[in-house]
Amino acid sequence: MAIGPGEQAPDFELEETHERRVRLGDFRGRSNVLLVFHPFAFTPVCTEEALDLQENLDSFRHAETEIVFVSCDPSPARQAWKRELGAEYTFASDFWAHGAAARAYGVFNEANGAPFRGTFLIDKSGTVIWSLIETRDVRRAEMVPGSLGTLERAS
């Protein structure tokens, strides 16, 4: 079962690069987090979603929200894709232990070994305040939640 609003977000430790890891605890008390799981790098729908996030990056930053974009692809592939897209937010790998973060959030698809499209808005205290799970292989209906305004007012 997926983690939902009002629940404490499970901590995660994901590889950004071979030398750098990203953890939910890194943001606690200083920034909200939009944790965005997607199936595979370099695919059309995932590319559209990644570019949408980049296009709205200023709005997220204004709301003191960091984006962590996650798949089970290995980190070198993630970073190559990030460079290709010109993205300026965190691309993290849930490659090993394979899908551990996606499983913790209840969005790991055992059938294909990749996450469903799961999105979790986590406040500075580590509580999920909004989530969206898309189990079909289609673009998320709503990427930038209206609750970003709630975060701005609460900060």
Side-chain angles (χ1 to χ4, degrees):
M1 177 175 265
I3 299 297
E7 294 183 69
Q8 194 65 26
D11 204 2
F12 56 77
E13 182 174 330
L14 301 166
E15 187 173 304
E16 189 172 353
T17 67
H18 183 66
E19 299 84 26
R20 188 172 43 215
R21 303 191 71 75
V22 60
R23 297 163 190 82
L24 180 59
D26 296 342
F27 303 102
R28 188 145 310 179
R30 71 170 182 86
S31 181
N32 307 299
V33 175
L34 185 71
L35 183 61
V36 182
F37 291 95
H38 68 94
F40 302 106
F42 297 100
T43 58
V45 174
C46 295
T47 296
E48 289 175 16
E49 291 182 335
L51 292 172
D52 282 348
L53 290 167
Q54 181 63 36
E55 184 176 308
N56 290 288
L57 191 56
D58 287 341
S59 295
F60 287 106
R61 287 182 174 158
H62 182 73
E64 298 179 355
T65 302
E66 295 291 330
I67 300 167
V68 180
F69 197 52
V70 183
S71 77
C72 292
D73 297 297
S75 62
R78 308 258 332 123
Q79 296 312 307
W81 188 41
K82 178 181 178 177
R83 283 189 301 277
E84 179 180 293
L85 296 174
E88 300 170 11
Y89 55 92
T90 302
F91 277 46
S93 173
D94 195 14
F95 182 71
W96 197 259
H98 190 78
R103 282 184 178 90
Y105 280 79
V107 295
F108 189 75
N109 182 347
E110 297 289 343
N112 70 2
F116 289 115
R117 295 181 196 286
T119 312
F120 302 88
L121 185 57
I122 303 165
D123 70 13
K124 293 176 185 178
S125 72
T127 301
V128 175
I129 63 167
W130 178 88
S131 65
L132 174 71
I133 313 298
E134 181 56 72
T135 58
R136 297 169 298 146
D137 191 24
V138 297
R139 189 175 170 149
R140 281 165 248 246
E142 181 182 358
M143 179 65 82
V144 182
S147 56
L148 262 182
T150 304
L151 282 175
E152 289 176 327
R153 290 187 296 278
S155 297

